[in-house]
Amino acid sequence: MSVLRLVDPAEAAEAAQTLSTQRTLSRRLVHRSAISEVFLTDFQSVDENTFRAAAQLPPRHFYYGDHTARPATHDPLAVFESVRQMLLCAMHLQHDAGHDTKSITATASLEITDPEPLRAGGALDLLLLGDVELAKMYQDTVARVVHRVRVMVGGRQVGVITVDTAQRPDPVYQKLRMSHRATPPPLSDTLPADTGGVAPAPWRVGREQAENVVLENADVTDDAVSARLRVPAAHPSMFEHAQDHVPGPVMMEAARQAALLLASGSPGGSPAGFCLRYVGAEYLRFAELDSDITVVTRRLPEPVDNGQWTETAFVQQDETVARMRVRLAEAHTGGADDAV
């Protein structure tokens, strides 16, 4: 069980007054191509170890708004995307990295401690309070940084996100990309749109639109799922711009969908009755686009009130490229005292 981190009300109130939600930030700062995919609206560096930002989740979104869970709620992975954009912005404005710098995620975790504010209808304003928990320097530049971000809505803390990333200039990144390859990696915009697999019915993974399903050829038992990762290379959100690997958030979504697939197969279970409360990810290697990735998910035996734990391994060419743990909780329950 983690400890709920509380925010100083005066700090939150002061930050809310100084940050704007009247416009989005530059697409370049958050590494987005489409303005419609920019959720961050303001950023402010406070001191060497403190920064903060504002974001707004849209009232409707083809990807983040497509869920069967009831009552309806803003997607926790949309919250994660807002923080991801904040940390990309921080790389440039907090840590003075050049625009050719690449951010490589080692670990990431999202914990929703109070989901109630996410159930608000319409657009949702987020206040993001960031701290530098660890920074390692190389040649006077930040080479590795661990950020912790507390997510606020209307004066209430809804969750905590922690991300450990390496920052590398593009020439170093390109060498890293070739460290396990004999040929240059393909870009996602060169891949065929049809993956050739058979996806589960969208409702079984908590979706209404088939375009948002990221699993295919799934084999489901009572306690495990084995499926192929469906890489939606033409998806306007998951692959909003060309990538040379499978992005981490796409694998987070796959881990969630596999957990929901298990929930839909359990007696009396339905993915509409569950919501995401926790995901922890460990990225071990780049997930390549030109080789199949098997998603292996098993239900963990630990009892959890009103929910379930699952553990997922992403396997490519007999190597585990990422591991994740997911907690689903009943959609109608939860509160600040029900922390992971």
Side-chain angles (χ1 to χ4, degrees), residues 23 27 39 48 72 88 99 101 131 152 155 178-180 222 267 297 315 320:
R23 76 261 183 227
R27 292 173 294 163
F39 299 160
E48 182 180 359
L88 288 169
H99 283 281
T101 301
D131 296 302
M152 307 288 296
M178 292 301 296
S179 61
H180 293 95
D222 289 343
T297 298
V315 181
T320 299

Side-chain angles (χ1 to χ4, degrees), residues 90-139:
M91 181 170 68
H92 303 302
L93 302 184
Q94 180 77 15
H95 304 300
D96 299 320
H99 283 281
D100 70 336
T101 301
K102 304 291 187 182
S103 179
I104 306 169
T105 302
T107 63
S109 67
L110 160 70
E111 178 184 5
I112 299 298
T113 51
D114 181 7
E116 190 62 34
L118 297 181
R119 293 173 183 148
L124 187 68
D125 291 344
L126 305 179
L127 175 63
L128 309 174
L129 304 177
D131 296 302
V132 177
E133 293 203 323
L134 173 70
K136 291 193 174 182
M137 309 295 290
Y138 178 74
Q139 295 182 347

Side-chain angles (χ1 to χ4, degrees), residues 249-273:
V250 175
M251 290 190 280
M252 282 185 170
E253 175 62 22
R256 170 168 65 178
Q257 290 189 15
L260 288 169
L261 196 55
L262 275 177
S264 70
S266 61
S270 167

Side-chain angles (χ1 to χ4, degrees), residues 26-106:
S26 166
R27 292 173 294 163
R28 191 182 188 196
L29 284 172
V30 297
H31 300 195
R32 298 279 88 182
S33 295
I35 292 175
S36 61
E37 294 297 315
V38 179
F39 299 160
L40 207 68
T41 63
D42 206 353
F43 182 92
Q44 189 177 77
S45 180
V46 178
D47 56 40
E48 182 180 359
N49 294 312
T50 311
F51 55 99
R52 52 203 186 189
Q56 185 179 86
L57 302 184
R60 291 182 178 87
H61 193 276
F62 171 75
Y63 173 55
Y64 292 113
D66 175 38
H67 296 283
T68 61
R70 296 294 181 269
T73 180
H74 284 276
D75 189 350
L77 290 187
V79 176
F80 183 85
E81 171 60 21
S82 299
V83 171
R84 194 187 70 84
Q85 293 183 15
M86 177 201 199
L87 298 184
L88 288 169
C89 192
M91 181 170 68
H92 303 302
L93 302 184
Q94 180 77 15
H95 304 300
D96 299 320
H99 283 281
D100 70 336
T101 301
K102 304 291 187 182
S103 179
I104 306 169
T105 302

Side-chain angles (χ1 to χ4, degrees), residues 65-236:
D66 175 38
H67 296 283
T68 61
R70 296 294 181 269
T73 180
H74 284 276
D75 189 350
L77 290 187
V79 176
F80 183 85
E81 171 60 21
S82 299
V83 171
R84 194 187 70 84
Q85 293 183 15
M86 177 201 199
L87 298 184
L88 288 169
C89 192
M91 181 170 68
H92 303 302
L93 302 184
Q94 180 77 15
H95 304 300
D96 299 320
H99 283 281
D100 70 336
T101 301
K102 304 291 187 182
S103 179
I104 306 169
T105 302
T107 63
S109 67
L110 160 70
E111 178 184 5
I112 299 298
T113 51
D114 181 7
E116 190 62 34
L118 297 181
R119 293 173 183 148
L124 187 68
D125 291 344
L126 305 179
L127 175 63
L128 309 174
L129 304 177
D131 296 302
V132 177
E133 293 203 323
L134 173 70
K136 291 193 174 182
M137 309 295 290
Y138 178 74
Q139 295 182 347
D140 297 325
T141 62
V142 175
R144 180 195 167 200
V145 61
V146 178
H147 293 121
R148 178 173 61 91
V149 179
R150 293 162 292 170
V151 180
M152 307 288 296
V153 174
R156 292 170 64 171
Q157 182 170 322
V158 301
V160 178
I161 293 172
T162 302
V163 183
D164 183 350
T165 57
Q167 297 182 178
R168 299 290 186 268
D170 188 63
V172 176
Y173 173 82
Q174 296 302 331
K175 289 181 179 178
L176 286 172
R177 283 302 285 117
M178 292 301 296
S179 61
H180 293 95
R181 293 187 60 94
T183 59
L187 293 177
S188 56
D189 59 1
T190 67
L191 300 180
D194 185 1
T195 61
V198 178
W203 71 267
R204 293 193 66 197
V205 295
R207 293 289 184 169
E208 296 180 349
Q209 302 296 324
E211 294 90 338
N212 292 324
V213 178
V214 294
L215 300 176
E216 59 189 17
N217 300 350
D219 180 19
V220 185
T221 65
D222 289 343
D223 295 309
V225 169
S226 178
R228 186 169 71 186
L229 179 67
R230 177 179 173 269
V231 180
H235 195 282

